[in-house]
Every structure is written in C-alpha cells, then in structure tokens.
Amino acid sequence: MIEIENVTKIFRTKAGTVEALKDVSLKIEKGETYGVIGYSGAGKSTLVRCINFLETPDIGAVTIDGTRIEIDNEKLFLVKDGEKTRLSEKSLNKLRSSIGMIFQHFNLLDRSNVFDNIAYPLKYTGKSKKEIHDRVFELLELVGLESKVNAYPCELSGGQKQRVAIARALANNPKILLSDEATSALDPDATESILNLLKDLNKKLGVTIVVITHEMGVIKSICDRVAVMEKGKVVEEGRVYDIFSNPKQPITRKFVNSTSSLSKVDELVKKDSPLVKSQAGESRLYRLVFDKSVNNPVISEVSRKFNVDFNIILANVEAIGDQTIGAMIVKLSGEDKAIDAALTYLSATKVRVEAV
Ligand SMILES: Nc1ncnc2c1ncn2[C@@H]1O[C@H](COP(=O)(O)OP(=O)(O)OP(=O)(O)O)[C@@H](O)[C@H]1O
C-alpha cells in the first residue's frame, strides 16, 4: 500500500543543515495499522509528511497504492510502465486527496462550526449541497458526534475536537489515514476513546493507518507493526508482539520498558534498595521473559525439580492483541549448583533469562 524506498531528506537552514531522514526504506501493507515511534527529533513527522508530500524528499521513491513517485533533487517524477515523467500538480493533488491526516492540535477552523469543518474538504469536489449534507451526517455518525453538529471548536473537549478532525480527514474516503501524535494532547480517557475509534475505523473502512507517536502504549494498543526511529533512521522494525517480546536495539528496549512496571528495577538498583540486594544463599537479580512459546507453568516446575525458591521482586503481563507476554524480576535461593541448573533449564524451556 505504501512503500518508501531509500528516502533522504535534508533541511537546509541558515543555522546549518539537518539530515532529518537518512536513506529510509519501509513497506506498509494495505489495511494495517502501522506505528512509527521515536523520541523528539528522530524524523517521524518528516517521514510521514513525505508520504503525502507535505515534505518533498531530496531523493528516493514513494509508492502509494501502486502509484510510484521517484524523487530526484526534490523534483517529483511519476513512473508508469517504465516511463518517467514530471508529476503534474493535478496528479499530486489527486494523490494527496487519497490520504487523510490528523494532528496533535487538531487544526480545526475555529470560526466554523462542526458541520462546516467537516464539510470543508467536500466543498471543491463538485458535490451538491444535499450530497455534502448527507456525507457530513454519515461522518458524524461514524465518529459518534451527531449531537455536536452546530457546536464551535471552543465548545468541544479535546477528544471531541479530534473526532471532528478524524471525520474531516475521512470526508473524501481516503485509503490512507496519517495520524501525527493525534492523542498526545489528550487525557488518558480521551486517548483511549480516540484509539478505539481509530481501531474501529480501520476494521470498518479497511483504511490503512500510519500512527506517529512517542508513546509505546499507543503502539501496543492499536498497531500491527512498528518502526522504531532514531536520528533519521529506522533502527528496528517488526510485528508489535515480536518487538515487545524481543526488542533488539537499546532504544527499543527503552520504549518497551516504558510501558512496564519492570523498569522500576533500575530505580531500585540506583537507590540501593534492600529489595534488590542479594542475601547469602540468594542469586543476583534476573529478568525472566515468558512469551507465547512458553505454555507450561515453568516456575513451579523448576522450583520443585531443582529445589530452588523464586523471590519475585517485580512482575508484569502485557496484553498485545489476544496474546500476552509475561516478565518478572526474580532472585533465586538455594544451592549455587541448583540455581545454575535451574537457570539453564529455564533457558532451555524458551524462557528468556537475562541478568539484571
Ligand atoms: N522545516 C524544517 N526546517 C528545518 N529543520 C527541520 C524542519 N522540520 C524538521 N526539522 C528538523 O528535522 C529533524 C526531524 O524532525 P521531525 O519533526 O521529523 O522529528 P520528530 O521525530 O517528528 O520529532 P517531534 O516528535 O519533536 O515532532 C529535527 O532535527 C528537526 O529540527
């Protein structure tokens, strides 16, 4: 559905140049919800804005639903049947209208009411007044906001404003919806309801959604796959479950830990808490991770088999879709040899064992 190939984007300012995207490539399948996560300045917004050409890459190629655009020196070329021609403004506008976008601060027209905000992108499509009216009400129903049709943005909550923005973004039936930190300005309840709405729309309309966020909770809640960005590059990419169960890059581990109570262990170690100190006969701290490949009750099994006890310091279970990942920080007590044998056995039963 969306393919980004070797895209580089350099911003040139008086203060110098910033390489916001460095040879980025990724592929987003039709109908999936794809997350892009990274800290501030990683290049997330620039990447997503290159999908609808709000930013023009310096070089690379972007394919949207079969339409391939190659970019050379910030000039856009349409590639069709092996032929390369300059992309016309008309074709660019058509391409853009197949992509909706929502933003952190909603970008609504403050002086227009809800109806007019949603009707705005329908104005220049040649639709009659009646068709526009019907479409706006269809969209209001879709986002659950019929009762606010005459309200002005200042009379709406943040969550309601984002619903209006979503309705407006979907007005022309786009195949792709880009969401740039759409829940970052919302409280936890509104965040949950907007994420649920996006999940519903993805299912109901089959719209492909690209979500930019710096919160792993958002990724966990609605995304099928995720790309982790750092300093203009995609450093890790994959299915959300796999990224959670086995993050490879340090930055990905940091993001994964941010949604887990297990990250508290670093604080406890720093504070030299008695909770994390080992007494005589106790092992050091270990992190045990149980993913979907572990089905049996291994802890009690290992405890019995090797005559060791588990002291659980912290534990966490993540639910991702209909699968779970459990993790705990433990100290084992028993004879040294028995502890070693227990840890080896755990690793052999596909529990990930990491010394903290
Ligand atoms: N129009 C611009 N002119 C100059 N530099 C820019 C411009 N837009 C972005 N940048 C720079 O490009 C880099 C990537 O910015 P980008 O906004 O894509 O990051 P981000 O990951 O979305 O961060 P944030 O979450 O803070 O928006 C940053 O160093 C930023 O300062």
Side-chain angles (χ1 to χ4, degrees), residues 32-33 35 216 218-228 236-248 252 256 259 289-295 316-327 350-352:
E32 78 176 336
T33 301
M216 207 55 181
V218 170
I219 301 288
K220 189 171 79 177
S221 161
I222 60 166
C223 296
D224 302 304
R225 286 193 303 141
V226 60
V228 183
E236 194 161 353
E237 204 256 356
R239 297 204 66 76
V240 172
Y241 186 90
D242 298 336
I243 295 287
F244 265 88
S245 66
N246 194 11
K248 295 200 170 67
T252 316
V256 167
T259 65
V289 182
F290 307 78
D291 69 11
K292 61 188 175 194
S293 58
V294 183
N295 296 315
N316 186 68
V317 179
E318 299 279 3
I320 297 167
D322 51 7
Q323 291 172 321
T324 57
I325 302 165
K350 296 199 176 138
V351 175
R352 213 170 71 235

Side-chain angles (χ1 to χ4, degrees), residues 11 13 18 20 38-47 55 180-181 212:
F11 290 107
T13 63
V18 180
Y39 293 115
S40 185
K44 310 178 294 291
S45 292
T46 307
L47 175 67
E55 290 299 351
D180 190 350
E181 299 278 8
I212 297 180

Side-chain angles (χ1 to χ4, degrees), residues 190-245:
T191 293
E192 197 187 336
S193 87
I194 291 297
L195 293 178
N196 284 336
L197 176 62
L198 291 176
K199 217 191 282 184
D200 274 1
L201 294 170
N202 169 254
K203 256 197 208 143
K204 231 184 249 176
L205 310 175
V207 61
T208 304
I209 303 183
V210 185
V211 174
I212 297 180
T213 182
H214 60 276
E215 290 172 285
M216 207 55 181
V218 170
I219 301 288
K220 189 171 79 177
S221 161
I222 60 166
C223 296
D224 302 304
R225 286 193 303 141
V226 60
V228 183
M229 288 195 73
E230 190 176 28
K231 295 182 190 145
K233 287 191 167 175
V234 172
V235 294
E236 194 161 353
E237 204 256 356
R239 297 204 66 76
V240 172
Y241 186 90
D242 298 336
I243 295 287
F244 265 88
S245 66

Side-chain angles (χ1 to χ4, degrees), residues 86-152:
R86 271 302 281 274
L87 184 76
S88 66
E89 200 62 28
K90 199 174 154 198
S91 305
L92 179 61
N93 287 338
K94 193 173 160 219
L95 191 76
R96 280 191 177 136
S97 73
S98 68
I99 304 174
M101 189 160 184
I102 53 173
F103 306 87
Q104 179 175 2
H105 296 298
F106 325 116
N107 296 11
L108 299 180
L109 304 166
D110 289 334
R111 293 190 184 175
S112 302
N113 66 13
V114 167
F115 183 97
D116 289 336
N117 264 285
I118 300 174
Y120 186 74
L122 297 165
K123 267 189 184 164
Y124 307 102
T125 54
K127 284 189 166 61
S128 69
K129 260 192 165 176
K130 161 99 176 60
E131 282 170 325
I132 291 179
H133 176 275
D134 291 352
R135 179 67 182 142
V136 169
F137 274 87
E138 207 174 275
L139 289 157
L140 281 168
E141 195 188 333
L142 201 61
V143 300
L145 217 58
E146 297 102 312
S147 62
K148 297 288 181 190
V149 60
N150 294 315
Y152 283 83

